[in-house]
Amino acid sequence: MSGRFVRNSKYRHVFGRSAKKEQCYDNLRISNNAWDTNLVKANPKYISVNWQASGGGAFAVIPLDERGKLPEHLPLFRGHTAAVLDTDWSPFDDSLIASGSDDGKVFVWQVPEGFTLHTDGDESHDVEPVGKLMGHSRKVGHVLFNPSAENVLASASGDFTIKIWDLQDGKSKLSLKHNDIVQSLSWSADGSMLVTTSRDKKLRFWDVRQQRPAHEVSGHSGAKNSRVVWMGEHDRVATTGFSRMSDRQLGLWDTRNPTKAISIEDLDQTAGVCMPFWDEGTQMLYLAGKGDGNIRYYEYENDKFQYLSEYKSGEPQRGIAFLPKRGVNTHENEVARAYKTTHDTMVEPISFIVPRRAEVFQDDIYPPTVGSKPAMSAGDWFGGKEGLPPKISLESLYEGEEPVEISADSVPKPTRTETAPAPAPAAAVAKPVPREETPKPTPAATTSRGPPPSVKDNKESMSAMASKFADDDDEGSSDETSSFEEVQKPVERPSVALRQEQKTGVRTPPHVQKDPSPPPTKTSSAFSAPEPESEPEPELQPRGTLSGQSLSSSNTTSTPAPEPRKSETSASSSATAPTPTAAAAGLKDHLLDIKSLLQRQAEQIADLTREVGELKARLGEGGHQ
């Protein structure tokens, strides 16, 4: 892992889990219309599915708790004279739904109370619309409720316009004119802005009540459809589209200055349109491609989409819908749930779960989310009012209680991020040490450094090292076994000072005996060859150049009355100190003595080896005889 690090994230291990077949919604007839739409929409109570119906257009509404294989005959929501192209649930009324059709009409429907697909009779009773909105001259491909104001609906048509409807009086009060067919649209969190993509490859940011685009920029350059989603309370939008080389792309844009995209990332070369879905609670973006079996998900951080993982499946999807956050299962740490179509006959739930062992409410992954109460009425919104809808605490839903409302003003809003990527966290960047903190050498520390070591010091260090090696050899030799004959260890020779004392009868002064330099006997014993005890000791001349000890002895024992220790530090005694030339000559003689000892040791080892060879030869001859 050298040079690599793992980004800290609570959602790094999110995984998708598909439902078993008995938990899916089977035996459906999903529309095979070629219009680019999501085909399904979901809320905490129902799923709506564009239906393949004859004799006009229809869609089906399926209660979430009625899983498994559905009856052959379902109660459909009929009323359009052509195929239904898109539906959308009201964010503040789980029983209110709007639909757009190829017949150019927008209908509003109310799901009957106690609605179910399993009826006692053989024939099912279809549901009729409660409101009809007329005004478009061509097919209506998209319908989308305002996320902040109640009963405000946007519808995009093939007549190149988007109409904003007031459902209370059934009239279109605002109209946004485009130059081509609108491919997708998305509201801002407070419902005051609208972003659209169209077939002319333009990305438009609309100030809706001014009925004109605040910004109009070039979007993805590919000829295929592009999608857009407003990223909740951020002033950012995410787009999916194609490049000129038909590569699928993911784009990030700043709504305040969208002249150029913050980033555009190439995904792959698959031909299916990517459907983006934004989760405000986890700050995650989900991408589901038409004709793909996988669903990618990213985490938004520092103006970047950090890839997390993907849900993989062998069953491709044509349409998909995500559940509002207030409908997820908090007891299983489910942070998102998708409903995707499979083989045009089944809708399969997919749960995205944060793996955790705790069996209590996880408040860090479930921040307050938008509830079912609007921020304002339709009249207030058309009058120019703005605001975020109140939020609810998911912990109250976890406990099975009524949702506790939290004012939107008390919830911290996401901070605005600059177009340039934010710097890395302080923990990941090493702070430079200021110059003032760098320790500077003090004059005392500079002048406290002594002169370079003298020749005498070098000789003492060499003697100490030789003594160390001698100690190591003595310690290690006790544990080792040898195939050679055991040879007695030679007797340790007395020091030069002791032999000099024996010959001359003059005792070495105490300060000379306590000299810190190791005695030459320790050094010579480390390299001395094993000799018989009867061999006479070679008589060594008392030279002052044999070692540091002998050097001191020759200088201090030249007269019967040596100078006191204190005189060595005086200026008068400095004249008797050995010269560097004499010290070098003494070191040379000492090395020659060591060399001669090593040669004798080598000769004795050769003799022992020869004797062993002869002994083996005799033993071999005796065996042959």
Side-chain angles (χ1 to χ4, degrees), residues 35-41 142 183-184 225-229 238-242 248-250 267 272-278 285-298 316-322 338-341:
W35 181 254
D36 183 20
T37 183
N38 291 353
L39 292 176
V40 294
K41 292 291 180 69
H142 302 279
Q183 295 173 337
S184 69
N225 285 8
S226 63
R227 296 289 193 93
V228 63
V229 61
T239 59
T240 59
F242 294 83
R248 285 202 296 198
Q249 295 179 327
L250 170 63
L267 301 176
V273 176
C274 262
M275 298 173 281
F277 300 92
W278 172 254
L285 180 72
Y286 296 84
L287 298 183
K290 287 196 172 186
D292 298 350
N294 63 335
I295 301 174
R296 299 183 180 94
Y297 38 98
Y298 302 77
Q317 66 255 355
R318 285 184 55 226
I320 193 169
F322 272 74
Y339 293 89
K340 79 167 192 175
T341 64

Side-chain angles (χ1 to χ4, degrees), residues 483 610-622:
S483 60
R610 185 173 56 257
E611 291 177 2
V612 171
E614 293 175 358
L615 182 61
K616 287 183 178 179
R618 292 174 185 175
L619 292 176
E621 292 175 358

Side-chain angles (χ1 to χ4, degrees), residues 329-583:
N329 188 349
T330 55
H331 291 272
E332 295 185 359
N333 297 332
E334 182 185 52
V335 293
R337 190 190 307 167
Y339 293 89
K340 79 167 192 175
T341 64
T342 304
H343 302 301
D344 291 342
T345 59
M346 185 169 64
V347 172
E348 177 185 15
I350 302 171
S351 296
F352 293 92
I353 299 172
V354 177
R356 290 189 177 180
R357 295 179 180 270
E359 297 181 356
V360 296
F361 179 72
Q362 306 294 305
D363 55 356
D364 60 326
I365 62 175
Y366 293 116
T369 188
V370 176
S372 56
K373 290 185 178 180
M376 66 202 79
S377 64
D380 293 337
W381 186 84
F382 282 106
K385 188 177 178 180
E386 296 181 5
L388 295 171
K391 298 186 177 183
I392 60 172
S393 171
L394 291 177
E395 186 173 5
S396 58
L397 299 180
Y398 179 88
E399 301 294 341
E401 303 172 354
E402 290 294 325
V404 177
E405 184 175 316
I406 301 174
S407 175
D409 298 332
S410 62
V411 179
K413 298 181 181 179
T415 57
R416 285 191 171 187
T417 53
E418 300 299 329
T419 302
V429 180
K431 294 183 178 180
V433 180
R435 291 186 177 181
E436 290 75 5
E437 298 179 4
T438 305
K440 297 182 179 180
T442 59
T446 305
T447 57
S448 63
R449 297 180 61 183
S454 63
V455 177
K456 180 179 178 181
D457 296 335
N458 290 334
K459 289 194 297 180
E460 292 177 356
S461 63
M462 290 179 63
S463 301
M465 188 173 296
S467 301
K468 177 182 177 183
F469 290 148
D471 294 340
D472 294 343
D473 293 342
D474 294 341
E475 293 174 2
S477 62
S478 62
D479 299 333
E480 294 178 358
T481 58
S482 176
S483 60
F484 291 101
E485 218 176 274
E486 219 180 283
V487 180
Q488 293 183 356
K489 187 176 181 181
V491 180
E492 186 175 328
R493 298 180 180 181
S495 63
V496 177
L498 183 59
R499 292 201 302 271
Q500 181 72 13
E501 180 182 343
Q502 292 173 357
K503 288 183 179 181
T504 60
V506 179
R507 188 176 181 181
T508 306
H511 70 275
V512 177
Q513 296 178 3
K514 296 180 181 180
D515 194 89
S517 61
T521 57
K522 188 71 175 177
T523 306
S524 60
S525 64
F527 299 98
S528 61
E531 298 178 1
E533 295 183 7
S534 59
E535 182 180 354
E537 297 289 337
E539 187 173 337
L540 299 178
Q541 298 297 328
R543 293 180 301 181
T545 58
L546 181 61
S547 65
Q549 173 70 26
S550 59
L551 182 63
S552 300
S553 301
S554 64
N555 292 332
T556 56
T557 60
S558 58
T559 59
E563 292 288 329
R565 187 74 174 177
K566 182 175 66 175
S567 64
E568 292 180 8
T569 58
S570 63
S572 60
S573 64
S574 62
T576 63
T579 62
T581 305

